[in-house]
């Protein structure tokens, strides 16, 4: 605003999302109540403020709220009391305490987020074990289904096409490789993405993406955290930067 430098950002676009992927092929997240408890119990506003100084706003969908394809899909809003009740319901139903492990890369920013979420879970009566492993081992574990929860950054393309493989691939049981890392098979999501890919009509694409987001808000195999932001800052004597193809 003061004209001292120029800044080029992806604000107003569909940007990358930071989220927690849950393995629905094994305990505890094969139980919907465990997934619901986590979705209602994570204060994304606090994550945005504490880890990103409110620069990365909270996320609630694979589509950013700045995108023309965004629709409010009724993703759970933070409700600590409801989350605590869901934890009790899970424990009454299964006879087990709700605990899980989360695979975390060694990067400091991931550690900071994970520790914040671990503290939030503790307030709900949920114990989270943080397992720090290198990125390649983490990816192999997740593809093989040998995990309970892990964090990722995806869904940043203008359309869902690039990341659709993670939602539409057939899942395999834990121990077998699967690009569908949450092991959640949802025929409605597969059909909606297929329909969206058949057209360039923006309204029809938006309608199909609304189905995807709504179904993901029901399945809760993905717990959304924040919408990422990217910026490039450069001096005033640099010209032609935004004219690139």
């Amino acid at each position: 605003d003061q004209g001292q430098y120029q800044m080029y950002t992806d604000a107003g676009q569909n940007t990358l999302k930071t989220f927690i992927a849950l393995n629905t092929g094994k305990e505890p997240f094969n139980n919907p109540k465990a997934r619901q408890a986590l979705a209602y119990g994570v204060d994304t506003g606090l994550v945005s403020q504490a880890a990103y100084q409110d620069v990365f706003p909270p996320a609630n969908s694979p589509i950013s709220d700045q995108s023309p394809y965004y629709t409010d899909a009724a993703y759970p809003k933070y409700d600590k009391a409801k989350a605590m009740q869901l934890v009790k319901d899970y424990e009454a139903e299964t006879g087990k305490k709700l605990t899980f492990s989360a695979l975390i890369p060694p990067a400091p920013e991931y550690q900071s987020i994970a520790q914040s979420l671990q503290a939030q879970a503790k307030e709900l009566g949920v114990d989270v074990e943080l397992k720090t492993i290198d990125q390649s081992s983490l990816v192999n574990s997740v593809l093989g289904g040998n995990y309970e929860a892990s964090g990722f950054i995806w869904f940043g393309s203008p359309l869902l096409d690039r990341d659709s493989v993670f939602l539409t691939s057939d899942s395999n049981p834990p121990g077998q490789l699967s690009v569908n890392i949450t092991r959640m098979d949802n025929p409605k999501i597969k059909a909606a993405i297929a329909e969206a890919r058949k057209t360039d009509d923006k309204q029809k694409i938006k309608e199909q993406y609304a189905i995807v987001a709504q179904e993901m808000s029901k399945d809760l195999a993905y717990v959304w955290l924040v919408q990422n932001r990217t910026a490039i800052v450069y001096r005033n004597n640099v010209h032609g930067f935004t004219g690139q193809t």
Side-chain angles (χ1 to χ4, degrees), residues 164-172 178-181 183-186 190:
S164 64
V165 64
F166 302 113
L167 302 174
T168 61
S169 297
D170 292 333
S171 69
N172 291 322
S178 178
V179 181
N180 182 347
I181 63 169
R183 268 68 183 172
M184 175 64 73
D185 279 320
N186 188 319
K190 293 180 180 181

Side-chain angles (χ1 to χ4, degrees), residues 87-144:
V87 171
K88 292 179 181 177
D89 292 345
Y90 169 87
E91 294 177 346
E93 181 179 307
T94 64
K96 300 177 181 179
K97 180 176 174 58
L98 180 53
T99 65
F100 66 93
S101 61
L103 302 185
I104 309 296
E109 59 269 30
Y110 285 109
Q111 296 290 320
S112 175
I113 298 168
Q115 289 164 7
S116 172
L117 294 172
Q118 183 184 46
Q120 290 190 45
K122 189 73 173 178
E123 293 182 8
L124 305 176
V126 179
D127 292 332
V128 181
E129 178 188 4
L130 302 181
K131 295 183 177 181
T132 301
I133 62 175
D134 64 90
Q135 188 72 42
S136 59
S137 298
L138 185 152
V139 170
N140 287 334
S141 295
V142 169
L143 289 175

